Amino acid sequence: MNKKRLSIQENIIWNTIGSIMYMVTQWLITILVVRIAGVETAGNLTLAISVNNIFYSIAMFGIRNYQVSDVSEKYSNKTYIHSRMVSCLMATILCWGYCMVIGYSSVQKVCIITYCLFKMSEAFYDVYAGIEQREWRMDYIGKSWMYRGIVTFICFLCGLYLTKNLSIAIMGMVISSFLIIILYDIPATKKIANINTVSSIDSCMCLMKECFPLLCYLILSTVVTMLPRLIMERKLGSYALGVYGSVSAPTVIVQMGASYIFNPFMTLFAEQYNNGQQKEFWSTFRKCLLGIVGISIISLAGGKLLGVWGLNLLYGKEIAEYVDLLLPLICSTVLTAFIWFLCGLSTVVRDFKGLIISNVIALIISFYSSFILIDRFTMQGATMALIVSLLIEALFIILFLKKKVEIEKL
């Protein structure tokens, strides 16, 4: 078993390169849908992505940050794996039930359920990525994202081009993604950690019970960002959602890029917190914050200078006419990344109460402001509603986090 530990810089580089490559391929998929199958089909894909964000959250169960900050190894690797199997099965069943109840078309239902299976492959892989991160071997994570990005992209492209059927294209991604888990991810994890450790139903249920508040927070947080799009689809239709999803697709890279900077630090934050290293903790906090600010400035400048040209290049004149949506969407994705950072820290210090309260408040604001602002500002109103709710959520999380840290006296 290889116990080599990479430096924080090496982990960031590997995680960033691999994750960005994966995000770029997923982003290209949203572009190709418009080019090959049209805006209406792109709207169905955007709907499937938006709806499955909540079921992906259920599958993740909020355990990743808990897992990588479990430096005392309270739970075994096998327990984390078993709990992820349970949560993925539960999320898939709930997604199927949701599609049976909500009045989507048959095409939309099939797309949503098929895309759910793809997201379950991501969620199941994530538990192995958590083991690798805790072992400070994110080179395996980076390589996995590279393989997954390339292979799923090729499968989707071939399926969509040959059949013009979105569900078949997504199913190609599902099959290839699970094959990568079997052929690469599991063997790679076995090289650096013992995943055949002792586990039991009791330990699995105990872990899920302890992390249940994190699941609640994750669902609430996902719904906060999903609600404006779903309300917009109901009010303005699939075409508007297709346009909105197309313009917003490039901004997701900004959001994920920021998360790639701070995600590798979560284990370090946990070690510093548990060791009472107050000075080092806040020094790491400032470094992550500066990284997020730097990405924000670069992204906003790039959107301002290259927005029209980029949308024309990617989608053509039909989508480029909506360039005014771009900069506000970049702001909302940066705020989302900042929220992820704060929520990750709250998980490290085990402030579950603050997470729940902050997200409930944000959810209420997101719901009511979406109806008001979309009626008045149409598509732009969806972004405005999200920005307002995220700003208020950030304020409350910071207040709760500050209180928790001061009480614990790092």
Side-chain angles (χ1 to χ4, degrees):
M1 189 177 296
N2 186 1
K3 281 294 185 178
K4 177 184 176 183
R5 174 170 169 160
L6 300 184
S7 68
I8 187 68
Q9 292 83 4
E10 290 174 312
N11 279 284
I12 291 174
I13 291 171
W14 273 111
N15 187 58
T16 301
I17 293 174
S19 300
I20 287 179
M21 180 177 290
Y22 181 75
M23 287 304 304
V24 168
T25 57
Q26 292 297 299
W27 167 57
L28 287 174
I29 283 172
T30 63
I31 297 171
L32 289 171
V33 170
V34 178
R35 293 287 190 180
I36 298 174
V39 176
E40 193 75 21
T41 303
N44 288 334
L45 178 60
T46 301
L47 177 64
I49 293 171
S50 299
V51 169
N52 273 291
N53 283 337
I54 188 168
F55 298 110
Y56 178 71
S57 299
I58 293 172
M60 294 289 284
F61 218 84
I63 289 178
R64 174 63 181 273
N65 281 329
Y66 185 98
Q67 179 187 8
V68 300
S69 61
D70 183 13
V71 291
S72 62
E73 299 185 10
K74 181 177 181 180
Y75 297 100
S76 69
N77 290 328
K78 199 69 171 182
T79 298
Y80 284 109
I81 293 171
H82 285 166
S83 67
R84 188 58 52 88
M85 290 178 178
V86 172
S87 62
C88 284
L89 178 60
M90 181 170 58
T92 303
I93 295 171
L94 289 173
C95 179
W96 181 85
Y98 172 83
C99 288
M100 296 303 104
V101 172
I102 302 300
Y104 294 121
S105 68
S106 297
V107 172
Q108 289 175 324
K109 288 179 180 179
V110 174
C111 288
I112 291 170
I113 293 172
T114 308
Y115 197 81
C116 175
L117 296 176
F118 173 65
K119 295 304 289 184
M120 292 308 101
S121 72
E122 286 188 354
F124 188 61
Y125 160 65
D126 178 80
V127 73
Y128 292 98
I131 296 171
E132 292 162 353
Q133 180 176 344
R134 199 169 64 182
E135 296 292 334
W136 293 92
R137 290 302 304 270
M138 299 185 78
D139 51 327
Y140 289 115
I141 298 176
K143 292 174 184 177
S144 178
W145 284 128
M146 290 181 198
Y147 302 149
R148 182 171 280 99
I150 294 170
V151 175
T152 56
F153 173 75
I154 293 173
C155 290
F156 180 89
L157 177 60
C158 292
L160 188 65
Y161 182 78
L162 294 174
T163 68
K164 299 298 188 294
N165 187 303
L166 181 59
S167 296
I168 292 176
I170 296 172
M171 183 54 69
M173 296 169 63
V174 173
I175 295 171
S176 59
S177 186
F178 274 110
L179 283 175
I180 291 171
I181 293 173
I182 295 170
L183 299 177
Y184 176 77
D185 296 321
I186 295 177
T189 307
K190 286 182 176 179
K191 292 180 181 179
I192 59 174
N194 182 10
I195 62 174
N196 295 318
T197 49
V198 177
S199 179
S200 65
I201 295 177
D202 288 342
S203 63
C204 184
M205 292 300 104
C206 185
L207 170 62
M208 298 185 76
K209 180 180 178 181
E210 188 170 350
C211 290
F212 183 75
L214 293 177
L215 170 63
C216 295
Y217 129 70
L218 201 55
I219 292 175
L220 288 168
S221 179
T222 302
V223 174
V224 167
T225 57
M226 181 182 70
L227 263 179
R229 293 195 181 204
L230 295 183
I231 293 172
M232 181 178 67
E233 192 271 339
R234 288 298 179 181
K235 286 180 171 290
L236 306 179
S238 294
Y239 182 86
L241 184 60
V243 170
Y244 191 86
S246 298
V247 176
S248 66
T251 68
V252 176
I253 296 176
V254 178
Q255 175 181 323
M256 300 308 295
S259 71
Y260 301 149
I261 289 177
F262 63 75
N263 276 343
F265 284 92
M266 288 302 158
T267 302
L268 179 61
F269 274 120
E271 291 176 352
Q272 292 171 341
Y273 180 79
N274 290 334
N275 294 331
Q277 297 174 300
Q278 180 179 11
K279 182 178 179 180
E280 291 80 0
F281 183 93
W282 291 116
S283 175
T284 306
F285 177 89
R286 288 190 294 271
K287 290 177 183 177
C288 292
L289 191 58
L290 286 174
I292 295 173
V293 171
I295 288 180
S296 305
I297 294 172
I298 294 171
S299 303
L300 287 170
K304 180 67 175 178
L305 295 174
L306 305 174
V308 176
W309 173 82
L311 292 178
N312 261 311
L313 177 66
L314 297 172
Y315 304 109
K317 185 178 179 180
E318 183 179 8
I319 301 297
E321 291 178 352
Y322 296 90
V323 68
D324 289 346
L325 296 171
L326 185 59
L327 291 184
L329 278 167
I330 292 175
C331 291
S332 69
T333 54
V334 168
L335 277 172
T336 301
F338 182 56
I339 291 292
W340 287 358
F341 174 55
L342 293 176
C343 290
L345 286 180
S346 296
T347 302
V348 168
V349 302
R350 305 297 190 251
D351 182 21
F352 301 155
K353 179 181 178 181
L355 282 177
I356 300 296
I357 295 175
S358 300
N359 279 275
V360 167
I361 293 171
L363 176 61
I364 294 170
I365 294 170
S366 178
F367 179 79
Y368 286 106
S369 62
S370 291
F371 280 102
I372 296 171
L373 295 173
I374 290 173
D375 281 339
R376 184 168 181 179
F377 300 101
T378 63
M379 286 185 281
Q380 199 72 275
T383 309
M384 294 168 65
L386 181 57
I387 289 174
V388 170
S389 60
L390 291 176
L391 284 172
I392 294 175
E393 180 181 359
L395 175 62
F396 275 92
I397 292 177
I398 290 171
L399 291 174
F400 279 111
L401 184 62
K402 186 175 182 294
K403 180 180 178 181
K404 175 72 173 180
V405 171
E406 286 180 352
I407 290 175
E408 294 293 334
K409 296 182 180 179
L410 286 174

